[in-house]
Amino acid sequence: MRPFQYQRASDASAAVQALGAAAGNNSPLTQATAQPLAGGTTLIDLMKLDVMRPAAIVDINPLAQGWSAIEPGSDGLRLGALARMSDVAAHDEIQRFYPVIANSLKLAASAQLRNMATLGGNVMQRTRCSYFRDVSHDNCNKRHPGSGCAAMEGVNRMHAVLGTSDQCIATYPGDFAQALIALDATVEITGRSGIRSMPFADLHKAPGNSPDIETTLQPGELISAFAVPGRWPRSVYLKARDRQSYEFALSSAAIALDVQDGVIRDARVALGGVATVPWRAHDAEALLKGQKFNDDMAERAADAAFAGAVGRRHNSFKIALGKRVVARALQQAAMMEI
Ligand SMILES: Cc1cc2nc3c(=O)[nH]c(=O)nc-3n(C[C@H](O)[C@H](O)[C@H](O)COP(=O)(O)OP(=O)(O)OC[C@H]3O[C@@H](n4cnc5c(N)ncnc54)[C@H](O)[C@@H]3O)c2cc1C
Ligand code: SF4
């Protein structure tokens, strides 16, 4: 591990000043010379692996008092970025009104990790592509722009089938982000010029020609909270993985339905484990809206969700698996008694 400077932020203003000052340029946050430290469960790993090499770390845990609230209300939910995954997953009202959020967190990582890890750190986690995480491989456009992509012709079983480019096919690995994107969440960002909000869907960037730029956050900016409009008691997070615990998704679906008098008034479908960014399946949603639910429709919606998918040597199975996960999650959501 390389030497780095450790700084403990006394408040939000000190944190963004320290992060912005140390960065000193316009590099994307993920490449910046200063990184915020929350639970540390993935940043420290990546520093030990020599993948991330920040010269400075700004510990934002002292901000927890203001940034870790879990606030469900009758018209929506606000979650502080420093709330721990385990606390949100275990919260009674999150389980009752947002089961898709509770389960996306409960099915992630391990109990120990969830106790330590924060929501902000979770959405900012980086891909688990093994070529990205192993610096002995020179050709990774995400680590070294222009160096090529070892996964393209290499072992790509875990890689993405949606949102890929000829520069990078790495999967976005998190679970919670699929729940947020499905529920039209917004993300609150605190920076040097104050607080701004944007749709969560605008936070992550598809790889395109610059896979090294993963989010729209700038150095000196921190995620301070997430907001979810409305309540979604009829919602499901279903995750298929190689083992039943402590494993990333091969394919997952975040589903939310608003059903009145047997008719689907609103439908949300998001996919995990199969795309380069948190992925919303708008075409699948359009098929469901205004209809009465049946199994055939669930399968047609699942087909629509994967219409643009492109499989590679080892990961084509994700397309068939992903469709089954979406169809089953839709069935589970439709059958929920609420
Ligand atoms: C073995 C293992 C298995 C895992 N399995 C899963 C899984 O199945 N599903 C899943 O979703 N996750 C999984 N994870 C990932 C885990 O959930 C993340 O490590 C964790 O959520 C990161 O949170 P943290 O607070 O520890 O982040 P940190 O490690 O502190 O930070 C992560 C990144 O986010 C940045 N950051 C942190 N907070 C903020 C903020 N407020 N604003 C802006 N940037 C910020 C940091 O600078 C860093 O770059 C797994 C991790 C491990 C080690
Ligand atoms: S898929 Fe992306 S992260 Fe993985 S080796 Fe290729 S460029 Fe690097």
Side-chain angles (χ1 to χ4, degrees):
M1 201 169 182
R2 293 169 193 250
F4 60 89
Q5 204 182 40
Y6 172 86
Q7 193 173 333
R8 203 166 156 81
S10 52
D11 56 28
S13 161
V16 296
Q17 289 300 335
L19 288 163
N25 59 36
N26 288 327
S27 56
L29 179 70
T30 44
Q31 302 297 341
T33 50
Q35 290 287 319
L37 173 76
T41 60
T42 191
L43 176 61
I44 303 299
D45 273 4
L46 288 168
M47 289 172 66
K48 285 183 184 163
L49 292 169
D50 210 22
V51 173
M52 290 182 80
R53 303 169 181 177
I57 278 185
V58 179
D59 187 343
I60 58 173
N61 284 286
L63 282 52
Q65 201 176 355
W67 284 18
S68 60
I70 303 170
E71 297 171 307
S74 55
D75 55 354
L77 167 68
R78 190 172 187 279
L79 295 168
L82 284 171
R84 306 283 158 178
M85 291 170 70
S86 51
D87 291 336
V88 181
H91 194 285
D92 281 348
E93 287 182 71
I94 308 299
Q95 291 181 359
R96 182 163 167 217
F97 296 117
Y98 307 92
V100 64
I101 291 182
N103 285 327
S104 72
L105 293 165
K106 199 167 78 184
L107 296 175
S110 65
Q112 293 90 339
L113 285 160
R114 294 192 295 271
N115 284 340
M116 197 68 199
T118 63
L119 301 184
N122 186 275
V123 301
M124 292 296 289
Q125 66 179 288
R126 308 194 69 191
T127 183
R128 309 302 284 196
C129 170
S130 9
Y131 301 104
F132 171 74
R133 292 172 66 86
D134 181 347
V135 292
S136 70
H137 290 279
D138 292 330
N139 42 348
C140 172
N141 287 324
K142 203 181 266 302
R143 265 191 289 109
H144 297 301
S147 63
C149 171
M152 221 54 95
E153 300 303 325
V155 178
N156 47 39
R157 179 174 181 272
M158 296 302 287
H159 287 71
V161 294
L162 289 163
T164 58
S165 74
D166 60 4
Q167 302 283 308
C168 179
I169 56 171
T171 307
Y172 173 79
D175 292 296
F176 173 54
Q178 328 308 337
L180 289 176
I181 203 167
L183 301 186
D184 270 345
T186 54
V187 56
E188 179 190 286
I189 295 160
T190 299
R192 277 178 284 184
S193 43
I195 297 176
R196 66 184 175 101
S197 277
M198 67 175 177
F200 181 75
D202 294 344
L203 179 65
H204 292 89
K205 283 170 72 90
N209 289 325
S210 41
D212 54 316
I213 302 177
E214 294 173 343
T215 73
T216 52
L217 284 191
Q218 295 299 314
E221 287 193 323
L222 284 165
I223 296 174
S224 35
F226 304 93
V228 176
R231 282 176 164 174
W232 292 89
R234 187 181 293 283
S235 64
V236 164
Y237 190 75
L238 184 63
K239 178 172 177 180
R241 43 190 166 166
D242 280 326
R243 55 184 178 195
Q244 263 311 88
S245 148
Y246 198 24
E247 188 55 278
F248 290 91
L250 289 169
S251 173
S252 68
I255 304 288
L257 298 178
D258 176 7
V259 180
Q260 285 168 35
D261 302 325
V263 175
I264 301 170
R265 298 286 172 207
D266 198 355
R268 307 293 177 80
V269 180
L271 312 177
V274 291
T276 52
V277 285
W279 193 266
R280 183 94 175 255
H282 291 287
D283 289 349
E285 296 174 0
L287 274 175
L288 295 160
K289 283 181 200 169
Q291 306 293 320
K292 290 201 167 183
F293 185 83
N294 60 49
D295 289 349
D296 179 54
M297 186 192 302
E299 282 173 25
R300 281 190 288 122
D303 285 344
F306 282 85
V310 178
R312 288 186 163 71
R313 187 151 63 136
H314 304 115
N315 70 353
S316 293
F317 76 97
K318 281 192 175 185
I319 299 174
L321 176 66
K323 288 181 185 179
R324 285 188 203 130
V325 169
V326 169
R328 185 171 300 179
L330 282 168
Q331 287 160 347
Q332 288 182 1
M335 287 186 306
M336 280 175 86
E337 286 182 14
I338 55 169

